[in-house]
Amino acid sequence: MGLNTKELIKKYGIKLTKSLGQNFLTDSNVVSRIVDTAEITEDDLVIEIGPGIGSMTGELASRAGRVIAVEIDKHLIPALEDNLKDFSNLEIINEDIMKVSVKAVTENRQNMRLKVVANLPYYITTPIIMKLLEEDNDIELMVFMVQKEVAQRMVAKPGGKDYGALSVAVQYYAQPEKVFDVPPHCFIPQPEVDSTIVKLKKNKKPPVILKDKDMFFKVVKAAFGQRRKTLLNALANSEALSRSKEEVREILSAVNIDENTRGETLSMEQFAALANEFS
Ligand code: SAM
């Protein structure tokens, strides 16, 4: 049995960097449950984002065929390498995940299934998730620790206050599911927010047919950009769409959407119909 997180921090004299979202998991039960959620087998190649000092990495490497761990903080790399030196199926990359091409680093994975598991740094949660969803890669499943509110927004359905551009974007690419909550006392240092584990199963094909994906996301962004405005005003005010109020009125009428409704009530199908009319 290796050292636990607190012992590792002490042994390697690690100084935690708050601005990099360094809240390390200290609860091994939570670690096991996260890895269980990803249903990892020897057929899997797992990318771990932000391994820190490896609180979860050993568990991943003992169950997966291969693990690629991407950590931005160079100060953590020696401890990480030393702590996990017994795992020959682990590769550590010292890089910002936003600059890593998943396709390139997983090129020769033969027919291993690709999964991502991460206790994400909260300052950059949405950009990381959107990058992994949008880029051309073969990821099948992602299991993330995120802030509780972000998890609620990812799974939200039309009509509620949590439903927004993130809900539509995530649900366009994947089926998100909240799995369990993790309280602050499971980390060192303790974050100021509650956390939730979410599982995102990538869609094999998109849930709606779009003429122009960029236009779809422009419409979604415009509709939620000014939440208190009617849909007509929110869309007509959008610089990205640059259409007159009269044009927007005609488009809404063509797809049978009430101009006085609000963006937060529209379903994915309605957004798609609307965007296809704009395209
Ligand atoms: N996996 C560890 C755990 O569960 O204890 C650490 C999780 S901690 C919440 C987030 C980790 O992500 C930190 O180690 C941090 O240095 C790293 N990190 C922050 N920004 C990153 C980025 N852009 N690319 C890769 N790693 C990043």
Side-chain angles (χ1 to χ4, degrees):
M1 192 60 208
L3 296 176
N4 67 34
T5 306
K6 282 181 191 152
E7 288 163 346
L8 287 168
I9 289 175
K10 203 167 159 208
K11 176 176 171 190
Y12 295 103
I14 303 285
K15 299 231 175 348
L16 298 174
T17 308
K18 206 174 168 190
S19 60
L20 287 177
Q22 290 180 354
N23 300 92
F24 294 156
L25 265 173
T26 51
D27 188 324
S28 57
N29 187 34
V30 172
V31 170
S32 306
R33 287 179 70 195
I34 296 173
V35 183
D36 287 347
T37 301
E39 296 177 52
I40 289 163
T41 72
E42 283 189 355
D43 298 329
D44 295 330
L45 165 53
V46 177
I47 298 184
E48 187 189 8
I49 300 163
I53 46 168
S55 310
M56 199 153 66
T57 318
E59 187 74 21
L60 290 169
S62 51
R63 297 204 216 172
R66 235 180 106 191
V67 175
I68 300 174
V70 181
E71 172 57 59
I72 196 171
D73 187 353
K74 70 175 190 306
H75 301 106
L76 301 179
I77 304 296
L80 196 54
E81 283 174 346
D82 188 46
N83 177 24
L84 298 162
K85 59 179 177 298
D86 295 338
F87 292 101
S88 57
N89 61 342
L90 169 67
E91 182 188 340
I92 296 166
I93 301 179
N94 179 205
E95 186 54 278
D96 176 351
I97 187 65
M98 298 304 289
K99 295 185 185 150
V100 171
S101 155
V102 170
K103 198 161 189 132
V105 297
T106 58
E107 213 169 36
N108 43 20
R109 68 175 207 284
Q110 280 97 24
N111 45 15
M112 296 181 92
R113 271 181 318 211
L114 192 54
K115 295 179 178 174
V116 176
V117 179
N119 172 10
L120 285 175
Y122 292 168
Y123 77 98
I124 194 176
T125 304
T126 308
I128 292 178
I129 295 178
M130 289 317 299
K131 169 201 155 67
L132 297 175
L133 289 173
E134 282 169 356
E135 77 180 7
D136 173 27
N137 62 48
D138 296 319
I139 299 168
E140 286 182 23
L141 186 80
M142 313 192 211
V143 174
F144 294 125
M145 170 102 71
V146 297
Q147 221 172 300
K148 193 173 181 179
E149 289 68 26
V150 176
Q152 280 160 346
R153 283 164 46 207
M154 288 201 266
V155 303
K157 295 291 174 210
K161 70 169 176 35
D162 292 328
Y163 185 64
L166 182 68
S167 326
V168 179
V170 167
Q171 292 166 34
Y172 175 75
Y173 290 107
Q175 291 169 45
E177 188 192 324
K178 278 198 287 178
V179 192
F180 62 95
D181 292 337
V182 183
H185 68 77
C186 296
F187 303 84
I188 181 171
Q190 297 190 13
E192 279 148 25
V193 293
D194 285 323
S195 303
T196 298
I197 301 299
V198 287
K199 180 172 172 174
L200 306 188
K201 210 166 148 199
K202 277 276 284 283
N203 290 328
K204 292 215 165 67
K205 64 180 199 353
V208 287
I209 308 290
L210 301 176
K211 283 190 197 157
D212 175 352
K213 199 156 79 176
D214 286 347
M215 179 59 80
F216 176 74
F217 285 111
K218 272 186 204 165
V219 169
V220 169
K221 214 170 150 194
F224 288 111
Q226 298 179 303
R227 291 183 81 111
R228 284 157 189 234
K229 293 219 155 74
T230 62
L231 190 58
L232 173 64
N233 285 333
L235 297 176
N237 285 345
S238 157
E239 275 178 31
L241 294 174
S242 71
R243 298 292 182 102
S244 70
K245 203 161 182 171
E246 227 17 76
E247 286 172 307
V248 175
R249 186 169 271 137
E250 273 172 32
I251 290 173
L252 285 169
S253 144
V255 290
N256 279 322
I257 298 176
D258 179 353
E259 62 176 57
N260 293 313
T261 194
R262 281 167 214 278
E264 65 208 45
T265 64
L266 296 193
S267 66
M268 172 88 66
E269 289 71 24
Q270 285 177 305
F271 273 120
L274 190 53
N276 287 343
E277 199 64 32
F278 266 99
S279 300

